[in-house]
């Protein structure tokens, strides 16, 4: 269930600014597919596991798709986005190892992921992801580079809140208590290192309300509620690809970021 946000994170891209290396072109072509497989939510090629045997097969596929993303990061990103994306990949690998290596942890995952098998009920959760992609795309095209890092931090905080609320709403009737807390723990373990590194004082949604420029935050918050209603057309299918496009812009602004912290 986790990668539904880890993706989320990455706080986890068609219009990607990457190296001109031909290998990067090939890696870019694979990136969105790998991101979709890791996200679980809308992936029809990798079924959600229902027992321990299927769980072992699932884990093998998750590690394989993670390797695809790590390969892209290693070959094709600039130093600052490579650092951020590398943190995400490192933490995600730890999550997969925890999820997959012990029978009791595989059983815990199977219990909570049962919620995702009810695809007709997942609309509200998928909307959180879609709106987050809309925020990332809007930041890329409309926010000045010195503010892009903190704006993306604030978008993540709003998306985290959305996922938490909608997972509780959708999953509690199916999997009972504990699923929301399980997902929150995963989100936090995936995002904490990158948030601490990149976000400065913008570490919670309250800080965004208080400190981020109002003209930026008002629009960003509106998109986070409903991207379509806010007039944003979504181009990317995964948060992974939307983040890569945005993260590459951070490279030119990283020295100026300290002025905002």
């Amino acid at each position: 269930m986790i990668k539904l946000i880890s993706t989320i994170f990455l706080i986890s891209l068609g219009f990607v600014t990457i190296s001109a290396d031909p290998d990067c072109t090939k890696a870019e072509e694979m990136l969105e597919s790998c991101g979709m497989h890791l996200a679980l939510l809308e992936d029809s090629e990798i079924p959600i596991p229902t027992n321990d045997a299927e769980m072992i097969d699932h884990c093998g596929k998750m590690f394989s798709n993670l390797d695809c993303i790590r390969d892209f990061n290693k070959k094709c990103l600039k130093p600052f986005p490579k650092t951020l994306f590398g943190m995400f990949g490192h933490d995600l690998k730890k999550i997969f190892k925890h999820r997959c290596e012990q029978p009791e942890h595989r059983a815990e995952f199977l219990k909570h992921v049962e919620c995702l098998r009810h695809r007709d009920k997942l609309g509200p959760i998928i909307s959180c992801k879609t709106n987050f992609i809309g925020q990332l795309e809007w930041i890329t095209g409309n926010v000045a580079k010195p503010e892009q890092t903190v704006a993306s931090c604030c978008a993540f905080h709003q998306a985290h809140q959305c996922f938490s609320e909608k997972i509780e709403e959708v999953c509690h009737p199916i999997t009972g208590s504990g699923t929301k807390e399980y997902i929150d723990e995963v989100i936090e373990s995936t995002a904490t290192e990158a948030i601490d590194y990149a976000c400065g004082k913008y570490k919670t949604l309250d800080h965004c309300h208080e400190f981020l420029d109002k003209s930026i935050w008002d629009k960003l918050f509106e998109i986070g509620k409903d991207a379509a209603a806010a007039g944003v057309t979504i181009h990317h299918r995964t948060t992974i690809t939307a983040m890569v496009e945005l993260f590459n812009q951070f490279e030119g602004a990283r020295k100026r970021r300290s002025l905002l912290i």
Side-chain angles (χ1 to χ4, degrees), residues 140-203:
T140 301
N142 297 278
V143 176
K145 288 184 178 180
E147 285 104 14
Q148 284 181 338
T149 306
V150 294
S152 62
C153 293
C154 291
F156 166 75
H157 292 316
Q158 187 179 3
H160 183 179
Q161 182 184 70
C162 180
F163 273 93
S164 183
E165 291 174 352
K166 297 308 178 185
I167 286 167
E168 176 70 5
E169 175 185 313
V170 171
C171 294
H172 188 273
I174 299 169
T175 55
S177 61
T179 296
K180 173 182 174 294
E181 290 74 17
Y182 182 75
I183 297 301
D184 275 343
E185 183 178 349
V186 171
I187 295 171
E188 290 170 6
S189 63
T190 306
T192 297
E193 188 175 358
I195 291 290
D196 287 345
Y197 179 76
C199 295
K201 66 186 178 183
Y202 299 86
K203 288 184 167 64

Side-chain angles (χ1 to χ4, degrees), residues 115-142:
C115 172
L116 297 186
R117 295 180 60 80
H118 299 259
R119 296 192 180 275
D120 60 318
K121 301 181 184 298
L122 298 183
I125 299 174
I126 292 172
S127 290
C128 294
K129 184 200 78 169
T130 301
N131 294 335
F132 182 46
I133 293 173
Q135 288 177 309
L136 296 176
E137 292 185 357
W138 183 80
I139 292 168
T140 301
N142 297 278

